[in-house]
Amino acid sequence: MLRMVTSQARNLVGCLNSVRFFSQEVNETTNIEKTINQVTLLGRIGADPQRRGTSEHPVVIFSIATHTNYKHGTADFMQRTDWHRVCVFNPNLRETVSQYLKKGQRVMINGRISYSEYKDPSGNLVSSTSIIADDVIFFQ
């Protein structure tokens, strides 16, 4: 029994040796801490992109499907589809996506996740999650 505990302790020490500690980076003049919000998706477009927003704040919106494959018990592999709402604000990227991206096309999105709330026509508060695209890579 003592040998097992010693072995577990050795494994724990080995794990701790591989843990890295980073110093907290804070901009001294503004007191702003560095954080990361990064998303990469690879999937297929659900529908042709739509132009939305106003002339002052235009946006192109589309959905992308990603899949997770899993095995449930003794059954064959199953597939779960997740749909992601993607918003493109960058003017050059917005025009390219609007012009060339089509339903069913395979695409990779690099961007950040954004959470928001809005009121629907009935006055109910609705939560929304979107991916704000910084880069869109088209596949043939």
Side-chain angles (χ1 to χ4, degrees), residues 8-19:
Q8 288 175 346
R10 225 178 285 136
N11 288 340
L12 179 60
V13 170
C15 289
L16 289 176
N17 286 336
S18 66
V19 173

Side-chain angles (χ1 to χ4, degrees), residues 41 44 63-68 79-85:
L41 298 172
R44 293 201 179 268
S63 60
I64 179 174
T66 60
H67 306 290
T68 303
Q79 191 174 71
R80 177 175 165 238
T81 302
D82 292 313
W83 289 94
H84 312 275
R85 174 186 166 106

Side-chain angles (χ1 to χ4, degrees), residues 49-52 54-62 87-101 133-134 136 138:
Q50 299 177 355
R51 290 178 176 266
R52 297 255 179 99
T54 63
S55 57
E56 295 87 27
H57 302 287
V59 62
V60 168
I61 297 173
F62 60 92
C87 300
V88 183
F89 292 100
N90 178 303
N92 293 333
L93 186 56
R94 187 178 60 228
E95 294 306 314
T96 303
V97 163
S98 178
Q99 186 174 1
Y100 297 108
L101 200 59
D134 295 323
V136 178
F138 297 75

Side-chain angles (χ1 to χ4, degrees), residues 95-110:
E95 294 306 314
T96 303
V97 163
S98 178
Q99 186 174 1
Y100 297 108
L101 200 59
K102 301 297 177 208
K103 177 181 178 178
Q105 190 169 359
R106 194 163 162 87
V107 67
M108 187 165 85
I109 310 294
N110 290 314

